[in-house]
Amino acid sequence: MIRSVVCGYGAALPKRVLSNRELEDIVETSDEWIVQRTGIRQRYIADDDETTASLGEQAARAALANAGLTPDDIDLIVLATSTPNNTFPATAVEIQNRLGMKHGYAFDMQAVCTGFVYAMATADLHLRGGMAKRALVIGAETFSRILDWQDRTTCVLFGDGAGALVLEAREEEGTVADRGILAAQLRSDGSHREKLYVDGGPSTTGTVGHLRMEGREVFKHAVGMITDVIEGVFTATGTTADDLDWLVPHQANRRIIDGSAKKLGIPIEKVVVTVDMHGNTSAASIPLALSVACDDGRIKKGDLVMLEAMGGGFTWGALLVRW
Ligand code: UT7
């Protein structure tokens, strides 16, 4: 059967680092509070000349170089983002243009922090359905642009960045020993909308708006939702927590990551954590974490890797891939 196999990865971060200490000058907060409650120590913030499209392009070029491919080899771009450059056209199309691609097709996927899991699952369907041969799946965000920098309950949590993977349709055996995406579970429940949303939009206020979050409410649901979809993927593939080499979670909060791993019986040494360095970069957090763990040699070819995320909507999902 056809599997979508990862053949390259890449990442991009803005030039500017914003430390917790610097945030103490902006809002009534402390390094101690932020570290204790979230695990975040710093985040990257885009300058005026850095956008979701430019960071996404940079991550895409890095992933292509890692795969030994050029834009000519790609026929699909799926960009997960909630912070597009413009309301339309899709920022994926802008990245396509920046890469000099005149062929293929590109679109954005909006599932907030779960965006990258949605984008991977969607690209997988396009590749397995024969619509495309090779896909760039990108998560890119500039959440700093939609933060209320006077709201200490949200502005200390988020950061900017981008990560990308190249997926290639390859013939595999059809077992869990195959390389590639093995299974995914996606969920959403719009009744939780008010707990995490942006208070603007083209069809309502005509403005971009700012991120609003009832953090404690989101926190309450996170571990249960995450573990539910991961267990669903285990059941669908006949695998267990013991089979996993790596859990690469969405990086929102160290306490959510630890709580989910504990509930699933996954030792913390098998969990990739980058929230300390990047903060919550929404749809970019998983590919950024993957990039770090591939660069430092933790994730290797053949490893069984579980991706998971939960965020605004609510949306949540998990995806199992053999690297
Ligand atoms: O990626 C999308 C999904 N998003 C998430 O997963 C976020 C989920 N939520 C969280 O990560 C946590 O709920 C937060 C990190 C947002 C907050 O942590 P918490 O332990 O739930 O704290 P809290 O909201 O219950 O606030 C505790 C106290 C409050 O003061 P009082 O009411 O106890 O006097 C807040 O006003 O901490 C105060 N507080 C702060 N203090 C210093 C809130 N923000 C700050 C801050 N600095 N930045």
Side-chain angles (χ1 to χ4, degrees):
M1 70 178 285
I2 303 283
R3 296 278 194 196
S4 307
V5 176
V6 177
C7 55
Y9 68 90
L13 288 162
K15 295 178 282 289
R16 180 169 169 233
V17 178
L18 180 66
S19 69
N20 289 350
R21 290 259 180 254
E22 288 171 275
L23 272 170
E24 290 174 3
D25 297 332
I26 301 172
V27 284
E28 183 73 37
T29 191
S30 66
D31 175 54
E32 193 194 358
W33 188 94
I34 301 171
V35 172
Q36 210 175 62
R37 301 281 175 144
T38 72
I40 299 166
R41 292 182 183 277
Q42 60 168 47
R43 72 287 293 138
Y44 291 80
I45 301 293
D47 276 346
D48 291 346
D49 63 341
E50 293 169 318
T51 65
T52 295
S54 74
L55 293 167
E57 177 201 357
Q58 236 183 295
R61 287 193 185 280
L64 286 170
N66 179 258
L69 298 171
T70 71
D72 288 344
D73 301 311
I74 300 296
D75 42 18
L76 166 64
I77 299 174
V78 186
L79 170 69
T81 191
S82 301
T83 46
N85 274 36
N86 295 91
T87 302
F88 78 78
T91 302
V93 176
E94 186 168 342
I95 293 174
Q96 179 191 27
N97 185 48
R98 283 165 170 264
L99 292 173
M101 281 172 65
K102 295 268 183 217
H103 63 282
Y105 60 110
F107 59 90
D108 287 1
M109 182 128 264
Q110 215 276 51
V112 203
C113 297
T114 320
F116 194 75
V117 178
Y118 270 60
M120 286 284 281
T122 303
D124 179 44
L125 291 175
H126 282 246
L127 294 181
R128 286 196 287 123
M131 294 278 288
K133 178 86 178 97
R134 289 195 202 88
L136 262 170
V137 186
I138 308 168
E141 301 280 17
T142 43
F143 260 53
S144 62
R145 305 261 157 80
I146 56 163
L147 294 175
D148 174 351
W149 285 97
Q150 289 172 353
D151 175 11
R152 68 172 183 174
T153 68
T154 53
C155 77
V156 305
L157 304 173
F158 295 90
D160 303 333
L165 295 181
V166 179
L167 294 179
E168 182 175 83
R170 288 190 195 163
E171 194 65 46
E172 293 280 328
E173 294 299 315
T175 71
V176 287
D178 289 353
R179 287 190 67 206
I181 295 174
L182 301 175
Q185 284 220 340
L186 304 181
R187 293 292 317 279
S188 67
D189 179 353
S191 68
H192 296 287
R193 178 195 180 278
E194 300 295 325
K195 297 181 181 102
L196 177 48
Y197 69 104
V198 170
D199 62 5
S203 187
T204 49
T205 59
T207 61
V208 173
H210 290 112
L211 182 148
R212 306 291 172 205
M213 178 165 73
E214 293 172 37
R216 212 177 305 188
E217 282 299 311
V218 180
F219 196 101
K220 255 183 11 201
H221 289 85
V223 173
M225 287 177 163
I226 288 162
T227 52
D228 192 47
V229 281
I230 290 179
E231 273 160 3
V233 169
F234 282 146
T235 304
T237 52
T239 55
T240 69
D242 291 340
D243 299 316
L244 280 191
D245 293 294
W246 300 105
L247 173 66
V248 184
H250 166 51
Q251 310 283 322
N253 186 312
R254 180 72 210 231
R255 290 186 291 148
I256 296 174
I257 295 172
D258 290 351
S260 308
K262 192 169 171 210
K263 193 167 171 202
L264 291 160
I266 300 169
I268 206 68
E269 304 76 53
K270 287 188 174 184
V271 184
V272 177
V273 180
T274 51
V275 69
D276 53 332
M277 294 187 287
H278 302 150
N280 182 346
T281 57
S282 195
S285 89
I286 291 175
L288 274 168
L290 284 169
S291 206
V292 168
C294 287
D295 274 345
D296 67 21
R298 273 181 288 176
I299 297 180
K300 295 178 290 299
K301 196 171 155 182
D303 280 357
L304 195 59
V305 182
M306 181 74 80
L307 315 182
E308 60 86 344
M310 180 267 179
F314 291 152
T315 55
W316 65 108
L319 181 140
L320 187 65
V321 55
R322 190 171 300 281
W323 212 255

